[in-house]
Amino acid sequence: MATAPAPLRTTVGNLCLGSAPDSWGVWFPEDEHQVPYTRFLDELVEAGYEWLELGPYGYLPTDPRLLRAELDARGLKVSGGTAFGALHRPEAWDEMLAHVRQVAALTAAAGAHHLVFIPPMYRDEKTGVFTESPELTAEQWAGFGRAADRLGRLLLEEYDVRLVVHPHADSHIQTQGEIERLLNESDSRYTNLCLDTGHVAYGGGDNLDLIRRFGERVGYVHIKQMDPEILAQVAAEDLSFGEAVRRGVCVSPPAGVPKPADVVDELARLDAELFVIVEQDLYPCAPEVPLPIAVSTREHLAGCGLSGTRRPNIDR
């Protein structure tokens, strides 16, 4: 009797490396400061990556057949999709869900099983102007976890896609307390965490502590580092995230916090297989900037034991 093949593993054992349009300065579906998607895909391959996250919906082709053709021509595979939406605005549920369904359908068609859900920023990405209060009301918090679970259950049952909520600077899920509240008020069957190491650090959180105490809720990872000196400027000058990025808050390893090797070591202890997606916020940047950074980052992470040419056996 033949035995079942062992799950495909990666160098660390449970972690698979990829990258994202964000590392090429892509924040929007269309923008004059961004490189064409074909250049991003070509340079992703040149930098040595095989896995990618889809990025903002509309940047890469949204026709599944065209997307598949572009990826297959380059030997690329998709780790997950990316959607933006507000869980604290019940009146905007239908509009948000329509967008998320588009992303989920494309994600599933690409063979991926994660949807990275990013809360809206309460400051404009380009101007830094406050667009809403930085604090949720008690009523808004009361429904946040339930809304996440409602969305996560729908994605799982209708698309076989798992919801992972992404903490983000200048959003209502930014500090460690806010991250923990979301996890404590949601159901692990439907809502889990995209641990973005840079945004956790930006919000003053402790990545290693979150991994140790909430490891079973970490379903996906974005790995990046922040410059402590610019984080101090953010606090002293009340900078918006957009302005912090323009000042270079997001840095290449080994610079910045947290240390990638420490994060990789802690993630490698988890009883789960995870995508670890490189992101270095660069918007806006000159077209020639991203590729050398992508290469040096991959090489540094390989030195930490993290690489990835094979898909994790995803179970959450």
Side-chain angles (χ1 to χ4, degrees):
M1 180 177 177
T3 58
L8 297 174
R9 309 296 288 188
T10 57
T11 301
V12 168
N14 66 326
L15 309 176
C16 186
L17 183 67
S19 192
D22 181 64
S23 294
W24 268 256
V26 175
W27 279 12
F28 306 101
E30 295 182 18
D31 188 274
E32 62 183 357
H33 299 297
Q34 298 174 176
V35 297
Y37 81 82
T38 51
R39 177 167 179 170
F40 158 65
L41 294 177
D42 289 342
E43 292 191 353
L44 187 71
V45 174
E46 187 176 349
Y49 295 89
E50 293 187 23
W51 292 91
L52 74 148
E53 194 175 298
L54 293 176
Y57 184 79
Y59 176 66
L60 293 173
T62 56
D63 180 330
R65 291 170 296 181
L66 177 56
L67 177 63
R68 172 62 62 189
E70 294 280 17
L71 298 178
D72 287 351
R74 298 169 174 84
L76 292 168
K77 293 162 283 191
V78 176
S79 61
T82 317
F84 299 80
L87 295 173
H88 65 289
R89 302 176 194 154
E91 71 282 0
W93 174 268
D94 290 343
E95 180 181 357
M96 177 273 291
L97 183 58
H99 166 65
V100 171
R101 282 187 179 278
Q102 288 180 310
V103 176
L106 185 62
T107 300
H113 297 277
H114 289 97
L115 189 143
V116 178
F117 187 87
I118 303 177
M121 297 167 66
Y122 51 72
R123 298 181 74 165
D124 185 270
E125 291 162 298
K126 294 184 177 181
T127 67
V129 172
F130 282 87
T131 55
E132 64 179 315
S133 170
E135 301 291 337
L136 293 180
T137 66
E139 182 180 9
Q140 288 171 323
W141 263 119
F144 203 102
R146 292 195 301 270
D149 288 342
R150 179 184 175 191
L151 180 61
R153 182 171 183 172
L154 182 152
L155 291 173
L156 189 60
E157 293 179 349
E158 297 190 21
Y159 300 95
D160 192 24
V161 166
R162 292 158 178 79
L163 176 69
V164 283
V165 178
H166 179 304
H168 200 286
D170 288 353
S171 86
H172 298 109
I173 306 296
Q174 174 180 205
T175 68
Q176 184 151 338
E178 290 162 350
I179 295 167
E180 293 185 14
R181 182 167 184 175
L182 169 64
L183 295 177
N184 287 329
E185 296 182 7
S186 61
D187 188 329
S188 62
R189 293 175 296 175
Y190 307 123
T191 302
N192 285 295
L193 178 66
C194 171
L195 181 77
D196 186 297
T197 61
H199 284 282
V200 169
Y202 193 100
D206 184 332
N207 282 279
L208 303 185
D209 178 64
L210 283 170
I211 297 169
R212 289 167 187 154
R213 293 195 296 118
F214 293 93
E216 73 284 355
R217 303 295 297 276
V218 176
Y220 194 92
V221 179
H222 284 171
I223 192 163
K224 64 163 69 86
Q225 306 74 232
M226 298 293 180
D227 184 331
E229 292 186 6
I230 298 181
L231 290 181
Q233 295 173 21
V234 170
E237 302 176 40
D238 191 27
L239 301 180
S240 69
F241 181 62
E243 176 59 26
V245 170
R246 285 188 286 274
R247 294 191 187 189
V249 69
C250 199
V251 292
S252 303
V257 292
K259 294 181 179 178
D262 293 343
V263 172
V264 171
D265 286 347
E266 208 61 49
L267 290 173
R269 301 174 191 272
L270 298 180
D271 184 22
E273 298 195 353
L274 300 167
F275 284 111
V276 180
I277 304 301
V278 174
E279 283 197 331
Q280 182 165 342
D281 295 303
L282 293 171
Y283 180 89
C285 67
E288 66 275 9
V289 168
L291 179 57
I293 292 175
V295 172
S296 65
T297 298
R298 181 188 55 75
E299 291 174 346
H300 180 86
L301 292 175
C304 300
L306 175 59
S307 66
T309 58
R310 301 191 178 198
R311 181 193 188 120
N313 180 30
I314 302 300
D315 60 3
R316 61 186 173 91

